[in-house]
């Protein structure tokens, strides 16, 4: 599926969305954020700290010291104090590190450059080439499907996107595939064969990858938790449908449907 088909499916244009369209889609799709595990509360962290092998060993020795015919209460008290000190120190270290990680994560902001139409009903002079479109910096979590993303060297790709234009674009997919070598991306793929891994798509850039060199223009396909899992082997047509969230057609075989039904988003009620 080419850029024209993607733009049509997403009801967008190469000039981007209007502010009103973007706000409406943000309400429908939510923030461009991946769900993460909720930080443990202090009492959950304390319960997690207590049962460690060292504390269990000390507890067993303490119990043995008092169940003997002649209980040694001094040893029992010393071992209990050691367990309390060990738990307190470990709890404080874990609590401080978790709090520092939370503060660091909240302080990191990633701005991206998108094309947004400056008026609600823009007019474009094709002959003169004058356009109301200009690059606008927004927070990555405000991206919505249909946004037109400007890609530059050093950028981190904030969402799964389909390339519209690209110039000597090389992407590092090591965060997803583990391969250190950069991957060339182009808006005009040379053709694909069935069975290729989704990462081999030449005109798709994935969330979490980074730009090594070159620049480009891409349309955002999916954001946040709505992203499909790219670690699958499907035909190019099925992969395009999965990335765009488009319903599968009846001509798909039963085996294809079985592979894709877990990847396609559920229809909203």
């Amino acid at each position: 599926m080419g850029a024209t088909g993607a733009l049509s499916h997403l009801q967008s244009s190469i000039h981007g969305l209007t502010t009103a369209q973007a706000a409406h889609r943000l309400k429908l799709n939510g923030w461009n954020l991946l769900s993460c595990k909720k930080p443990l509360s202090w009492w959950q962290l304390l319960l997690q700290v207590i049962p460690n092998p060292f504390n269990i060993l000390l507890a067993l020795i303490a119990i043995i010291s008092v169940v003997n015919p002649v209980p040694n209460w001094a040893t029992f008290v010393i071992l209990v104090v050691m367990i309390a000190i060990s738990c307190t120190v470990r709890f404080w270290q874990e609590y401080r590190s978790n709090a520092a990680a939370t503060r660091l994560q909240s302080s990191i902001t990633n701005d991206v450059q998108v094309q947004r139409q400056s008026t609600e009903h823009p007019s474009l002079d094709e002959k003169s080439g004058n356009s109301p479109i200009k690059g606008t910096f927004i927070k990555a979590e405000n991206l919505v499907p249909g946004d037109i993303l400007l890609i530059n060297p050093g950028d981190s790709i904030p969402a799964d996107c389909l390339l519209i234009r690209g110039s000597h674009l090389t992407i590092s997919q090591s965060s997803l595939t583990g391969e250190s070598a950069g991957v060339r991306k182009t808006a005009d793929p040379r053709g694909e064969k069935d069975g290729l891994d989704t990462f081999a798509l030449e005109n798709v850039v994935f969330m979490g990858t980074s730009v090594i060199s070159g620049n480009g223009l891409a349309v955002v396909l999916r954001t946040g938790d709505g992203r499909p899992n790219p670690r699958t082997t499907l035909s190019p047509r099925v992969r395009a449908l999965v990335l765009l969230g488009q319903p599968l057609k009846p001509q798909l075989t039963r085996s294809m449907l079985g592979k894709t039904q877990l990847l396609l988003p559920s229809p909203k009620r």
Side-chain angles (χ1 to χ4, degrees):
M1 184 174 294
T4 303
L7 289 171
S8 175
H9 176 83
L10 295 168
Q11 298 180 355
S12 181
S13 73
I14 195 172
H15 305 303
L17 302 171
T18 64
T19 303
Q21 287 174 328
H24 178 67
R25 296 188 184 197
L26 187 61
K27 290 181 180 179
L28 290 178
N29 296 277
W31 303 103
N32 179 33
L33 296 171
L34 296 177
S35 297
C36 57
K37 191 175 181 181
K38 185 179 179 180
L40 297 176
S41 59
W42 68 268
W43 61 269
Q44 290 175 320
L45 185 59
L46 181 60
L47 292 177
Q48 189 179 60
V49 163
I50 292 174
N52 70 77
F54 180 71
N55 289 341
I56 293 174
L57 178 60
L58 292 180
L60 288 175
I61 297 174
I63 293 172
I64 293 172
S65 67
V66 295
V67 296
N68 286 330
V70 182
N72 189 338
W73 291 104
T75 302
F76 177 80
V77 172
I78 292 173
L79 291 174
V80 170
V81 171
M82 290 178 63
I83 293 173
I85 293 174
S86 172
C87 291
T88 302
V89 171
R90 187 178 175 194
F91 168 78
W92 181 244
Q93 291 176 340
E94 293 285 344
Y95 182 80
R96 289 186 60 188
S97 63
N98 288 348
T102 302
R103 289 195 301 269
L104 179 62
Q105 186 176 12
S106 61
S107 66
I108 296 175
T109 57
N110 184 22
D111 292 339
V112 295
Q113 191 175 12
V114 297
Q115 288 193 148
R116 289 278 171 88
Q117 297 181 14
S118 59
T119 61
E120 298 301 324
H121 303 285
S123 60
L124 177 64
D125 188 346
E126 297 289 346
K127 294 183 179 180
S128 64
N130 296 325
S131 169
I133 311 305
K134 61 180 181 179
T136 303
F137 284 95
I138 64 172
K139 294 187 181 300
E141 57 263 31
N142 292 332
L143 274 179
V144 295
D147 259 330
I148 303 301
L149 179 70
L150 281 71
I151 300 174
N152 296 299
D155 287 352
S156 177
I157 304 299
D160 294 338
C161 305
L162 184 74
L163 283 177
I164 299 174
R165 291 198 299 262
S167 175
H168 306 290
L169 187 61
T170 303
I171 301 291
S172 171
Q173 298 184 160
S174 59
S175 59
L176 301 177
T177 65
E179 298 178 1
S180 58
V183 179
R184 293 296 300 271
K185 296 289 184 177
T186 175
D188 301 311
R190 293 164 295 189
E192 300 172 292
K193 297 180 181 179
D194 288 358
L196 283 180
D197 185 78
T198 308
F199 291 119
L201 289 169
E202 295 180 337
N203 59 343
V204 176
V205 290
F206 295 101
M207 182 181 192
T209 58
S210 57
V211 182
I212 298 176
S213 62
N215 52 68
L217 197 67
V219 56
V220 176
L221 299 177
R222 306 296 298 273
T223 58
D225 287 335
R227 300 174 60 243
N229 181 8
R231 292 187 179 276
T232 182
T233 302
L234 299 171
S235 69
R237 177 178 176 274
V238 175
R239 284 177 301 192
L241 296 177
V242 169
L243 284 169
L244 289 173
Q246 187 171 344
L248 296 175
K249 302 298 181 183
Q251 62 264 32
L252 290 176
T253 64
R254 190 177 299 274
S255 61
M256 284 182 176
L257 184 59
K259 290 179 180 179
T260 56
Q261 61 183 355
L262 296 178
L263 299 176
L264 293 172
S266 321
K268 294 185 179 179
R269 296 179 181 177

